């Protein structure tokens, strides 16, 4: 069943198109593949990027929308990604980047297309674990800029995933959350006095 992707805010897309059209922005980017791209580049696959700042022992804390991410393609291959961010003046281009998460995101989206249940694709970043997941939200009509993972939503860890968490294996939030909670909970130092 096809994924029900939300459209990115028009100003976010415009900011990426403007950056792609700027020789200075492309030249100064730390993305050799983007700088070396021959032919037109286009932003595709917009996904909202939510951040989970904190995992409590009781479960998820609220997520926040951090921006929109676009895969930058040249012909039939991904050469980079572009992030946007919300500023007091609206959506603005943040930066271009490369790395394994681009191909991993594309692979996870292809896997999700084969699922029988419809989902709304999002990205969920867990900075405390240096982890990025494809978040498949079950409410396809939801506002992509809001909400937090429901127990029945799927999280697909992207490569490279933290040790012991297999990349590209879908997990229900209710199954993966205890693992993330355990990993994100700091272990008290030996001999330290509890507060």
């Amino acid at each position: 069943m096809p994924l029900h992707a939300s459209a990115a805010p028009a100003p976010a897309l415009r900011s990426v198109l403007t950056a792609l059209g700027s020789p200075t922005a492309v030249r100064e980017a730390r993305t050799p593949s983007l700088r070396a791209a021959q032919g037109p580049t286009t932003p595709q696959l917009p996904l909202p990027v939510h951040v989970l700042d904190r995992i409590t022992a009781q479960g998820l804390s609220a997520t926040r929308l951090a921006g929109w991410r676009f895969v930058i393609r040249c012909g039939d291959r991904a050469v980079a990604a572009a992030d946007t961010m919300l500023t007091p003046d609206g959506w603005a281009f943040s930066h271009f980047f490369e790395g394994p998460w681009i191909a991993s995101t594309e692979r996870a989206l292809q896997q999700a297309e084969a699922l029988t249940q419809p989902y709304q694709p999002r990205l969920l970043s867990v900075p405390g674990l240096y982890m990025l997941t494809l978040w498949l939200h079950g409410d396809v009509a939801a506002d992509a800029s809001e909400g937090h993972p429901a127990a029945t939503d799927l999280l697909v860890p992207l490569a490279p995933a933290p040790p012991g968490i297999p990349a590209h294996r879908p997990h229900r939030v209710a199954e993966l959350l205890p693992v993330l909670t355990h990993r994100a909970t700091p272990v008290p130092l030996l001999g330290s006095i509890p507060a």
Side-chain angles (χ1 to χ4, degrees):
M1 177 149 296
L3 295 174
H4 294 265
S6 298
L13 176 58
R14 277 194 304 272
S15 73
V16 171
L17 290 169
T18 300
L20 283 171
S22 165
T24 303
V26 171
R27 187 174 54 250
E28 291 180 0
R30 294 184 179 145
T31 52
S33 295
L34 179 60
R35 288 195 309 265
Q38 299 293 317
T41 53
T42 56
Q44 297 177 358
L45 299 174
L47 293 172
V49 180
H50 293 261
V51 175
L52 178 61
D53 289 317
R54 209 165 44 91
I55 303 173
T56 66
Q58 294 75 32
L60 293 173
S61 64
T63 61
R64 64 179 168 83
L65 179 67
W68 282 80
R69 178 166 295 167
F70 298 80
V71 172
I72 307 299
R73 299 187 76 76
C74 181
D76 63 347
R77 72 182 190 98
V79 294
D83 274 356
T84 62
M85 62 184 176
L86 190 57
T87 70
D89 295 324
W91 288 101
F93 170 75
S94 175
H95 63 280
F96 292 116
F97 67 94
E98 293 182 2
W101 282 323
I102 298 168
S104 188
T105 300
E106 288 187 312
R107 177 180 169 189
L109 286 167
Q110 289 171 352
Q111 289 175 304
E113 283 286 349
L115 298 173
T116 56
Q117 180 178 337
Y119 288 102
Q120 181 189 79
R122 304 171 175 197
L123 293 173
L124 181 65
S125 173
V126 186
L129 297 175
Y130 197 66
M131 180 179 184
L132 185 65
T133 68
L134 176 64
W135 168 14
L136 299 172
H137 190 50
D139 183 357
V140 297
D143 181 345
S145 66
E146 297 178 353
H148 62 278
T152 56
D153 287 354
L154 295 179
L155 295 177
V156 182
L158 301 181
I165 299 176
H168 296 286
R169 182 174 169 259
H171 302 268
R172 294 241 178 256
V173 168
E175 296 166 355
L176 188 57
L177 183 59
V179 175
L180 299 181
T181 302
H182 177 71
R183 293 280 183 93
T185 304
V187 177
L189 297 173
L190 289 175
S192 64
I193 300 171

